[in-house]
CSV table of all heavy atoms in Angstrom, one decimal:
chain,number,residue,atom,x,y,z
A,1,ASP,N,-7.1,3.6,-6.1
A,1,ASP,CA,-8.2,2.6,-6.3
A,1,ASP,C,-7.8,1.6,-7.4
A,1,ASP,O,-8.6,0.7,-7.7
A,1,ASP,CB,-9.5,3.3,-6.7
A,1,ASP,CG,-9.4,4.1,-8.0
A,1,ASP,OD1,-8.4,4.1,-8.7
A,1,ASP,OD2,-10.4,4.7,-8.4
A,2,SER,N,-6.6,1.7,-8.0
A,2,SER,CA,-6.2,0.7,-8.9
A,2,SER,C,-4.8,0.2,-8.4
A,2,SER,O,-3.8,1.0,-8.3
A,2,SER,CB,-6.0,1.3,-10.3
A,2,SER,OG,-5.5,0.3,-11.2
A,3,THR,N,-4.7,-1.0,-7.9
A,3,THR,CA,-3.5,-1.6,-7.4
A,3,THR,C,-3.2,-2.9,-8.0
A,3,THR,O,-4.1,-3.6,-8.5
A,3,THR,CB,-3.6,-1.8,-5.9
A,3,THR,OG1,-4.6,-2.7,-5.6
A,3,THR,CG2,-3.8,-0.4,-5.2
A,4,TYR,N,-2.0,-3.3,-8.0
A,4,TYR,CA,-1.6,-4.7,-8.4
A,4,TYR,C,-0.3,-5.1,-7.8
A,4,TYR,O,0.5,-4.2,-7.3
A,4,TYR,CB,-1.7,-4.9,-9.9
A,4,TYR,CG,-0.6,-4.2,-10.7
A,4,TYR,CD1,0.5,-5.0,-11.2
A,4,TYR,CD2,-0.6,-2.9,-11.0
A,4,TYR,CE1,1.5,-4.4,-11.9
A,4,TYR,CE2,0.4,-2.3,-11.8
A,4,TYR,CZ,1.4,-3.0,-12.2
A,4,TYR,OH,2.4,-2.4,-12.9
A,5,TYR,N,-0.1,-6.4,-7.7
A,5,TYR,CA,1.0,-7.0,-6.9
A,5,TYR,C,1.7,-8.1,-7.6
A,5,TYR,O,1.1,-8.7,-8.5
A,5,TYR,CB,0.4,-7.6,-5.6
A,5,TYR,CG,-0.4,-6.5,-4.8
A,5,TYR,CD1,-1.7,-6.3,-4.9
A,5,TYR,CD2,0.3,-5.8,-3.8
A,5,TYR,CE1,-2.4,-5.4,-4.2
A,5,TYR,CE2,-0.4,-4.9,-3.0
A,5,TYR,CZ,-1.7,-4.7,-3.2
A,5,TYR,OH,-2.4,-3.8,-2.4
A,6,ALA,N,2.9,-8.3,-7.2
A,6,ALA,CA,3.6,-9.5,-7.6
A,6,ALA,C,3.0,-10.7,-7.0
A,6,ALA,O,2.4,-10.6,-5.9
A,6,ALA,CB,5.1,-9.4,-7.2
A,7,ASP,N,3.0,-11.8,-7.7
A,7,ASP,CA,2.3,-13.0,-7.2
A,7,ASP,C,2.9,-13.4,-5.9
A,7,ASP,O,2.2,-14.0,-5.0
A,7,ASP,CB,2.5,-14.2,-8.2
A,7,ASP,CG,1.7,-14.0,-9.4
A,7,ASP,OD1,0.7,-13.1,-9.4
A,7,ASP,OD2,1.9,-14.6,-10.5
A,8,SER,N,4.2,-13.2,-5.6
A,8,SER,CA,4.9,-13.6,-4.4
A,8,SER,C,4.4,-12.9,-3.2
A,8,SER,O,4.6,-13.4,-2.1
A,8,SER,CB,6.4,-13.4,-4.6
A,8,SER,OG,6.7,-12.1,-4.8
A,9,VAL,N,3.7,-11.7,-3.3
A,9,VAL,CA,3.3,-11.0,-2.2
A,9,VAL,C,1.8,-10.8,-2.1
A,9,VAL,O,1.2,-10.3,-1.1
A,9,VAL,CB,4.0,-9.6,-2.1
A,9,VAL,CG1,5.5,-9.7,-2.1
A,9,VAL,CG2,3.4,-8.7,-3.2
A,10,LYS,N,1.1,-11.2,-3.2
A,10,LYS,CA,-0.4,-11.1,-3.2
A,10,LYS,C,-1.0,-11.7,-2.0
A,10,LYS,O,-0.7,-12.9,-1.7
A,10,LYS,CB,-0.9,-11.7,-4.6
A,10,LYS,CG,-2.2,-11.1,-5.0
A,10,LYS,CD,-2.5,-11.6,-6.4
A,10,LYS,CE,-1.5,-11.1,-7.4
A,10,LYS,NZ,-1.9,-11.6,-8.8
A,11,GLY,N,-2.0,-11.0,-1.4
A,11,GLY,CA,-2.7,-11.5,-0.3
A,11,GLY,C,-2.0,-11.3,1.1
A,11,GLY,O,-2.5,-11.4,2.1
A,12,ARG,N,-0.7,-10.8,1.0
A,12,ARG,CA,0.1,-10.6,2.2
A,12,ARG,C,0.4,-9.1,2.3
A,12,ARG,O,0.5,-8.5,3.4
A,12,ARG,CB,1.4,-11.4,2.3
A,12,ARG,CG,1.1,-12.9,2.2
A,12,ARG,CD,2.4,-13.7,2.4
A,12,ARG,NE,3.4,-13.4,1.4
A,12,ARG,CZ,4.6,-12.9,1.6
A,12,ARG,NH1,5.0,-12.6,2.9
A,12,ARG,NH2,5.5,-12.7,0.6
A,13,PHE,N,0.7,-8.4,1.2
A,13,PHE,CA,1.1,-7.0,1.2
A,13,PHE,C,0.0,-6.2,0.7
A,13,PHE,O,-0.8,-6.6,-0.2
A,13,PHE,CB,2.4,-6.8,0.3
A,13,PHE,CG,3.6,-7.4,0.9
A,13,PHE,CD1,3.7,-8.3,2.0
A,13,PHE,CD2,4.8,-7.2,0.2
A,13,PHE,CE1,4.9,-8.8,2.4
A,13,PHE,CE2,6.0,-7.7,0.7
A,13,PHE,CZ,6.0,-8.5,1.8
A,14,THR,N,-0.1,-5.0,1.2
A,14,THR,CA,-1.1,-4.0,0.7
A,14,THR,C,-0.4,-2.6,0.5
A,14,THR,O,0.3,-2.1,1.4
A,14,THR,CB,-2.2,-3.8,1.7
A,14,THR,OG1,-2.8,-5.1,2.0
A,14,THR,CG2,-3.3,-2.9,1.2
A,15,ILE,N,-0.6,-2.1,-0.7
A,15,ILE,CA,-0.1,-0.8,-1.0
A,15,ILE,C,-1.2,0.2,-1.0
A,15,ILE,O,-2.3,-0.1,-1.4
A,15,ILE,CB,0.6,-0.7,-2.4
A,15,ILE,CG1,1.3,0.6,-2.7
A,15,ILE,CG2,-0.4,-1.1,-3.5
A,15,ILE,CD1,2.1,0.6,-4.0
A,16,SER,N,-1.0,1.4,-0.4
A,16,SER,CA,-2.1,2.3,-0.2
A,16,SER,C,-1.5,3.7,-0.1
A,16,SER,O,-0.3,3.9,0.2
A,16,SER,CB,-2.9,2.0,1.0
A,16,SER,OG,-2.1,2.1,2.2
A,17,ARG,N,-2.4,4.7,-0.3
A,17,ARG,CA,-2.0,6.1,-0.1
A,17,ARG,C,-2.5,6.6,1.3
A,17,ARG,O,-3.6,6.2,1.7
A,17,ARG,CB,-2.7,7.0,-1.2
A,17,ARG,CG,-2.0,6.8,-2.5
A,17,ARG,CD,-2.5,7.8,-3.5
A,17,ARG,NE,-1.8,7.6,-4.8
A,17,ARG,CZ,-0.7,8.1,-5.1
A,17,ARG,NH1,0.0,8.8,-4.2
A,17,ARG,NH2,-0.1,7.9,-6.3
A,18,ALA,N,-1.8,7.5,1.9
A,18,ALA,CA,-2.2,8.1,3.1
A,18,ALA,C,-3.4,9.0,2.8
A,18,ALA,O,-3.4,9.7,1.8
A,18,ALA,CB,-1.1,8.9,3.7
A,19,ASN,N,-4.4,9.0,3.7
A,19,ASN,CA,-5.5,9.9,3.5
A,19,ASN,C,-5.6,11.0,4.6
A,19,ASN,O,-6.6,11.6,4.7
A,19,ASN,CB,-6.8,9.0,3.6
A,19,ASN,CG,-6.9,8.2,4.8
A,19,ASN,OD1,-6.2,8.4,5.8
A,19,ASN,ND2,-7.7,7.1,4.7
A,20,ASP,N,-4.5,11.1,5.3
A,20,ASP,CA,-4.4,12.2,6.3
A,20,ASP,C,-3.8,13.4,5.6
A,20,ASP,O,-2.8,13.3,4.9
A,20,ASP,CB,-3.5,11.7,7.4
A,20,ASP,CG,-3.4,12.8,8.5
A,20,ASP,OD1,-3.0,13.9,8.2
A,20,ASP,OD2,-3.7,12.4,9.7
A,21,LYS,N,-4.3,14.6,5.8
A,21,LYS,CA,-3.9,15.8,5.1
A,21,LYS,C,-2.4,16.1,5.5
A,21,LYS,O,-1.7,16.8,4.7
A,21,LYS,CB,-4.8,17.0,5.4
A,21,LYS,CG,-4.8,17.4,6.8
A,21,LYS,CD,-5.7,18.6,7.0
A,21,LYS,CE,-5.7,19.1,8.5
A,21,LYS,NZ,-6.5,20.3,8.7
A,22,ASN,N,-2.0,15.6,6.6
A,22,ASN,CA,-0.6,15.9,7.0
A,22,ASN,C,0.4,14.9,6.4
A,22,ASN,O,1.6,15.2,6.4
A,22,ASN,CB,-0.5,15.8,8.5
A,22,ASN,CG,-1.2,16.9,9.2
A,22,ASN,OD1,-1.3,18.0,8.8
A,22,ASN,ND2,-1.9,16.5,10.3
A,23,THR,N,0.0,13.8,5.8
A,23,THR,CA,0.9,12.9,5.1
A,23,THR,C,0.4,12.6,3.7
A,23,THR,O,0.5,11.5,3.3
A,23,THR,CB,0.9,11.6,6.0
A,23,THR,OG1,-0.4,11.1,6.2
A,23,THR,CG2,1.6,11.8,7.3
A,24,VAL,N,-0.1,13.6,3.1
A,24,VAL,CA,-0.8,13.4,1.8
A,24,VAL,C,0.1,12.9,0.7
A,24,VAL,O,-0.3,12.2,-0.2
A,24,VAL,CB,-1.5,14.7,1.3
A,24,VAL,CG1,-0.5,15.7,1.0
A,24,VAL,CG2,-2.4,14.4,0.2
A,25,ASN,N,1.4,13.1,0.8
A,25,ASN,CA,2.4,12.7,-0.2
A,25,ASN,C,2.9,11.3,0.1
A,25,ASN,O,3.9,10.9,-0.6
A,25,ASN,CB,3.5,13.7,-0.3
A,25,ASN,CG,3.1,15.0,-0.8
A,25,ASN,OD1,2.1,15.2,-1.4
A,25,ASN,ND2,3.9,16.0,-0.6
A,26,THR,N,2.4,10.6,1.0
A,26,THR,CA,2.9,9.4,1.5
A,26,THR,C,2.2,8.2,0.9
A,26,THR,O,0.9,8.2,0.9
A,26,THR,CB,3.0,9.3,3.0
A,26,THR,OG1,3.8,10.4,3.5
A,26,THR,CG2,3.6,8.0,3.5
A,27,VAL,N,2.9,7.2,0.5
A,27,VAL,CA,2.4,5.9,0.1
A,27,VAL,C,3.0,4.8,1.1
A,27,VAL,O,4.1,4.9,1.4
A,27,VAL,CB,2.8,5.6,-1.3
A,27,VAL,CG1,2.5,4.1,-1.7
A,27,VAL,CG2,2.0,6.5,-2.3
A,28,TYR,N,2.1,3.9,1.4
A,28,TYR,CA,2.5,2.8,2.4
A,28,TYR,C,2.6,1.5,1.7
A,28,TYR,O,2.0,1.2,0.7
A,28,TYR,CB,1.5,2.7,3.5
A,28,TYR,CG,1.4,4.0,4.3
A,28,TYR,CD1,0.2,4.7,4.3
A,28,TYR,CD2,2.4,4.4,5.1
A,28,TYR,CE1,0.0,5.9,5.0
A,28,TYR,CE2,2.2,5.6,5.9
A,28,TYR,CZ,1.0,6.3,5.8
A,28,TYR,OH,0.9,7.5,6.5
A,29,LEU,N,3.4,0.6,2.3
A,29,LEU,CA,3.4,-0.8,2.0
A,29,LEU,C,3.3,-1.6,3.3
A,29,LEU,O,4.2,-1.6,4.1
A,29,LEU,CB,4.7,-1.2,1.2
A,29,LEU,CG,4.7,-2.7,0.8
A,29,LEU,CD1,3.7,-2.9,-0.4
A,29,LEU,CD2,6.1,-3.1,0.3
A,30,GLN,N,2.1,-2.1,3.5
A,30,GLN,CA,1.8,-2.9,4.7
A,30,GLN,C,2.2,-4.3,4.4
A,30,GLN,O,1.6,-4.9,3.4
A,30,GLN,CB,0.3,-2.8,5.1
A,30,GLN,CG,-0.1,-3.6,6.3
A,30,GLN,CD,0.6,-3.2,7.6
A,30,GLN,OE1,0.6,-2.0,7.8
A,30,GLN,NE2,1.1,-4.1,8.3
A,31,MET,N,3.1,-4.8,5.2
A,31,MET,CA,3.6,-6.2,4.9
A,31,MET,C,3.2,-7.1,6.1
A,31,MET,O,3.6,-6.9,7.2
A,31,MET,CB,5.2,-6.1,4.9
A,31,MET,CG,5.7,-5.2,3.9
A,31,MET,SD,7.5,-4.9,4.0
A,31,MET,CE,8.1,-6.5,3.7
A,32,ASN,N,2.3,-8.0,5.8
A,32,ASN,CA,1.8,-9.0,6.8
A,32,ASN,C,2.3,-10.4,6.5
A,32,ASN,O,2.7,-10.7,5.3
A,32,ASN,CB,0.3,-9.0,6.8
A,32,ASN,CG,-0.2,-7.6,7.3
A,32,ASN,OD1,0.4,-6.9,8.0
A,32,ASN,ND2,-1.5,-7.3,6.8
A,33,SER,N,2.3,-11.2,7.5
A,33,SER,CA,2.7,-12.6,7.3
A,33,SER,C,4.1,-12.7,6.5
A,33,SER,O,4.2,-13.5,5.6
A,33,SER,CB,1.7,-13.4,6.6
A,33,SER,OG,0.4,-13.3,7.2
């Protein structure tokens, strides 16, 4: 619930944690545009 980004990717990339119990140790980086 606390995230921050480099200015160069802000608004395009999203960092998040998996909320599925099978991938609980996984963090994602969604890269758009």
Side-chain angles (χ1 to χ4, degrees):
D1 62 2
S2 180
T3 60
Y4 70 102
Y5 301 88
D7 288 342
S8 59
V9 306
K10 202 172 296 182
R12 300 187 298 120
F13 291 9
T14 302
I15 187 172
S16 64
R17 288 191 178 275
N19 53 20
D20 183 303
K21 64 178 181 180
N22 294 320
T23 54
V24 67
N25 292 342
T26 300
V27 168
Y28 300 111
L29 183 69
Q30 179 67 44
M31 306 168 60
N32 297 331
S33 302

